[in-house]
Amino acid sequence: VDADAAGALVATGSRTVGVVALADDLSAAEELAEAEVVTVKGQLFHRKDIGTAALVNARVAHMLELQKAAAKRLGQHQVTIGVLGSTRGSSLQPVLRDIASGALKGVKVGLVISNKADAPILARAAQHGLPYEHVPVNGRSRQDYDAELTARLEAEGVQLVLLVGWMRILSPSFCARWRRRALNVHPSLLPAFAGGMDLEVHSAVLAAKVPESGCTVHFVEDQVDAGPTVVQKRCP
């Protein structure tokens, strides 16, 4: 792509142009992108099928099959992890990315569980071909509900549990069962701003006007956000 005498961008030969737009929702972003595309002059073949959910899911499924075949050939011993999530599951994505790239070897996700039927983390699991289940609380006590979580996780051979936006306090019996085998991601530099969840933690950090924040990965114990720290990442 070059600039002509008037400063306009000019593409010669066979080229692919990607247009990115930012907006509050997908429909608005598509409208902005379309408005930019129509300003491009010349012979264009405009494809709208690239990046559709069906195409992306097909590509991901093919990638997963290749990964399974490679792991089988290499005879990799796998650690099976289970995931508990109530929200988007964005913190799970780096794990899935590293499993896919081979950076995280010998690991597979055996089950993703959410207490909310509409939690986006379930859609994320489906897109990556992962087993997932919605387990409703239905008025049960914390101990009874968590007992079912443990049963479902163990039925899938789960050895390590990741809490990714899990919006429930876990029972002492669950914490004891999974002691040193359950990890939580908390959006602050613990022990600062412990006890909060999701956006309320970020709001508290901003209100306190502290010079830095970050996130903490820690072991889960029956005292909320008090388990030993595994790793922390800081940002100003």
Side-chain angles (χ1 to χ4, degrees):
V1 178
D2 297 314
D4 63 14
L9 296 180
V10 178
T12 58
S14 177
R15 297 290 186 270
T16 300
V17 178
V19 179
V20 178
L22 299 178
D24 292 334
D25 55 56
L26 182 59
S27 295
E30 287 179 342
E31 289 182 5
L32 290 174
E34 291 289 346
E36 293 296 326
V37 168
V38 297
T39 65
V40 180
K41 306 301 181 183
Q43 295 180 346
L44 298 176
F45 177 63
H46 187 192
R47 294 187 60 181
K48 294 187 177 181
D49 60 321
I50 298 176
T52 62
L55 182 60
V56 170
N57 289 338
R59 297 290 188 185
V60 170
H62 180 61
M63 175 192 71
L64 293 172
E65 289 302 320
L66 293 176
Q67 291 170 0
K68 290 178 182 178
K72 186 175 182 180
R73 288 195 305 270
L74 295 173
Q76 292 180 353
H77 171 70
Q78 290 192 321
V79 173
T80 302
I81 63 176
V83 180
L84 303 181
S86 305
T87 55
R88 295 171 299 169
S90 55
S91 294
L92 176 61
Q93 196 61 42
V95 176
L96 301 180
R97 180 194 62 214
D98 285 354
I99 292 175
S101 68
L104 193 58
K105 299 182 183 299
V107 176
K108 72 172 184 178
V109 177
L111 182 61
V112 177
I113 293 177
S114 180
N115 60 315
K116 297 183 177 181
D118 58 351
I121 192 173
L122 297 180
R124 189 185 301 272
Q127 184 182 56
H128 286 80
L130 303 175
Y132 65 91
E133 296 178 3
H134 166 229
V135 182
V137 178
N138 290 338
R140 287 177 287 178
S141 68
R142 183 176 291 117
Q143 182 169 330
D144 288 346
Y145 179 75
D146 289 357
E148 181 175 352
L149 296 182
T150 290
R152 289 178 182 248
L153 292 167
E154 291 183 342
E156 299 300 328
V158 169
Q159 299 155 285
L160 180 70
V161 179
L162 303 182
L163 275 61
V164 181
W166 184 243
M167 308 297 281
R168 286 179 55 83
I169 296 174
L170 292 165
S171 63
S173 57
F174 184 96
C175 295
R177 182 76 172 185
W178 296 96
R179 189 172 188 275
R180 294 297 188 271
R181 295 189 297 137
L183 296 166
N184 181 49
V185 181
H186 185 79
S188 76
L189 298 174
L190 293 175
F193 305 100
M197 291 185 178
D198 202 29
L199 294 179
E200 67 182 37
V201 177
H202 299 298
S203 297
V205 170
L206 293 174
K209 298 181 179 179
V210 294
E212 65 176 2
S213 187
C215 65
T216 304
V217 177
H218 64 94
F219 285 112
V220 176
E221 294 190 351
D222 54 0
Q223 186 175 350
V224 177
D225 297 334
T229 295
V230 176
V231 65
Q232 286 186 325
K233 291 293 183 180
R234 299 173 178 269
C235 63

